[in-house]
Amino acid sequence: MSSLCPQPGGKDDELFWRALSEKVAGRRIPFSGSLALTHRCNLGCVHCYAREGCTEAAGGELAIQQWKKIIGELKAAGCLYLLLTGGEPLLREDFPEIYSFAKQNGFLVSVFTNGTLVDEKILELFSSLPPRLVEISLYGASAGTHDRVTGAPGSFAAAMRALDRLLARGIKVSLKSVLLTLNADDMPAVEELARRRNVQFRLDAAVFPSLEGDRSPLGLRVLPEQAVELEMADPERRREWQEFLAAFAGMPDAGGLFNCGSGVNTFHVDPQGWMYPCLMVRSPRYSLVRGSFQEGWSREFTAFRSLAAAMPCRDCEQKLLCGYCPGFFELENNDPRVPSQYLCAIGKLRFARITRDPAEGE
Ligand code: SF4
Ligand code: SF4
């Protein structure tokens, strides 16, 4: 599972999410989707997966009426969770109208943002129509580190201001970071910053090529050993991994290439209205400008799920721990059946660490 997979927004949400997932298991109900309202961004993060589109010039975005039509179709199809993401979704001047429309239609709406554009108007909007979660990307515990990753002086101060102003309004916020050679030393301090504010923090080492195939972000990955070491330095996270493995190990695996909700319970729509099974899986795709959600969902999004998993992933005991994701494999290796050696190494190291005899100590 990647940090971009649909997932619960914290412990409170987790029980409901799990119950719902069990209820829809085996049924093709698109209960969770992400809408990338734009690929434009006001920052220029070194590792960004939408980097080709991260310019003011990137055009061709759906107009608000087109987004409203899609949101209406999603409601009719039984969708409940919507993530509004980008690029930077708050760059769209009509963001408040799209957001309000989704909320007024009963969706549980989350927003991924870099935080820099959270102004009084957005605070008022979120106060009157509370989001399920606002997730802010924070790439360091200081301006020196964060702004080096974003390439934008002042972005750390703006993100921190947004974090504290949202929390002061009682809005649920979490923090997310990507582990890079540029910011690894800062991560314990970012975790501490999150802990002091009592907000959830997600750290992801799984840097992947841009959606357009630029592989330069891969040069920013830390060694798998360093990633796992950092992760397991937190006893609570180690315990969470142990509990996760204990809860899900031995669960039947049908041997399909995809063992996630991609195209079964989840979907992703890009700024031009192309629908994908999730953000990572680039094929099949279907234009929601030319056709309806229901047509695309029922006609186009079934065949890819019948592919079988390839060795060595089939029956691999570390599959729960490596972040197994055929979409990630395809972006990295141009083939969803060829595992990422990086994720594979992380899976093996995690397995070794969490199954180590406790008598050996930390
Ligand atoms: S640990 Fe490696 S072999 Fe096992 S499932 Fe993950 S990528 Fe495949
Ligand atoms: S293919 Fe599955 S595991 Fe990978 S990002 Fe999509 S939903 Fe997540």
Side-chain angles (χ1 to χ4, degrees):
M1 179 191 266
S2 103
S3 68
L4 298 167
C5 301
Q7 49 197 280
K11 292 225 183 299
D12 302 344
D13 203 33
E14 199 168 326
L15 286 176
F16 180 64
W17 179 273
R18 275 205 191 174
L20 185 63
S21 302
E22 279 163 23
K23 194 102 183 149
V24 301
R27 296 162 64 195
R28 286 197 71 240
I29 298 176
F31 78 82
S32 177
S34 50
L35 310 181
L37 300 181
T38 179
H39 276 170
R40 289 176 289 132
C41 188
N42 55 332
L43 307 184
C45 298
V46 285
H47 61 283
C48 181
Y49 59 82
R51 52 178 39 205
E52 306 288 311
C54 277
T55 66
E56 288 297 331
E61 293 170 6
L62 295 186
I64 185 161
Q65 291 310 329
Q66 292 171 299
W67 279 120
K68 285 185 175 178
K69 172 192 156 279
I70 291 170
I71 292 169
E73 291 175 353
L74 299 179
K75 183 181 178 181
C79 182
L80 180 59
Y81 290 96
L82 270 191
L83 166 65
L84 302 184
T85 182
E88 172 49 52
L90 300 185
L91 261 184
R92 278 190 70 128
E93 284 183 5
D94 53 12
F95 173 85
E97 197 175 336
I98 299 174
Y99 175 84
S100 302
F101 185 77
K103 284 288 299 178
Q104 283 153 1
N105 275 279
F107 288 92
L108 296 167
V109 185
S110 302
V111 180
F112 282 3
T113 176
N114 61 40
T116 58
L117 301 174
V118 175
D119 57 12
E120 196 54 36
K121 191 173 158 195
I122 294 294
L123 290 168
E124 282 299 319
L125 175 70
F126 289 166
S127 297
S128 59
L129 292 169
R132 173 179 166 242
L133 179 73
V134 176
E135 187 168 87
I136 296 177
S137 302
L138 197 67
Y139 300 118
S142 67
T145 308
H146 178 87
D147 294 359
R148 186 150 39 113
V149 173
T150 65
S155 55
F156 176 76
M160 291 300 295
R161 198 162 48 242
L163 170 64
D164 288 331
R165 292 176 82 195
L166 287 162
L167 289 174
R169 297 264 184 150
I171 293 158
K172 188 170 178 186
V173 187
S174 72
L175 292 174
K176 167 180 65 187
S177 202
V178 176
L179 183 61
L180 305 165
T181 50
L182 299 178
N183 67 6
D185 291 346
D186 261 36
M187 283 309 129
V190 178
E191 275 198 78
E192 182 54 29
L193 183 156
R195 199 171 293 129
R196 265 189 275 121
R197 286 167 175 78
N198 200 23
V199 301
Q200 203 189 4
F201 172 61
R202 290 200 288 141
L203 178 61
D204 194 354
V207 179
F208 54 91
S210 81
L211 299 180
E212 291 78 11
D214 178 1
R215 299 178 64 81
S216 64
L218 303 191
L220 298 163
R221 286 174 172 171
V222 304
L223 291 173
E225 291 78 3
Q226 189 184 0
V228 175
E229 221 28 68
L230 198 63
E231 187 177 65
M232 298 296 165
D234 180 351
E236 190 173 336
R237 190 165 308 121
R238 183 167 181 251
R239 203 189 57 248
E240 280 171 10
W241 273 116
Q242 284 170 327
E243 286 169 3
F244 177 75
L245 187 63
F248 292 103
M251 295 265 281
D253 183 336
L257 179 61
F258 290 86
N259 62 355
C260 55
S262 164
V264 177
N265 303 122
T266 72
F267 60 88
H268 174 75
V269 184
D270 80 3
Q272 285 77 41
W274 287 100
M275 176 169 71
Y276 300 87
C278 71
L279 192 146
M280 290 279 202
V281 177
R282 309 311 287 163
S283 172
R285 67 176 193 167
Y286 180 84
S287 171
L288 296 181
V289 174
R290 290 188 210 127
S292 71
F293 177 85
Q294 201 53 54
E295 281 165 4
W297 182 257
S298 51
R299 278 205 224 138
E300 305 289 334
F301 277 28
T302 48
F304 82 104
R305 295 283 312 194
S306 59
L307 295 170
M311 297 301 288
C313 297
R314 199 178 302 166
D315 302 327
C316 173
E317 65 177 343
Q318 279 108 38
K319 199 174 197 169
L320 286 168
L321 302 174
C322 68
Y324 174 84
C325 169
F328 188 105
F329 297 170
E330 178 151 35
L331 283 174
E332 183 164 326
N333 296 323
N334 297 318
D335 187 337
R337 290 155 60 93
V338 177
S340 155
Q341 292 307 310
Y342 185 72
L343 290 192
C344 205
I346 285 183
K348 287 175 178 26
L349 289 163
R350 273 187 190 139
F351 187 77
R353 284 301 304 266
I354 67 176
T355 55
R356 184 192 284 176
D357 183 347
E360 290 178 44
E362 294 300 312

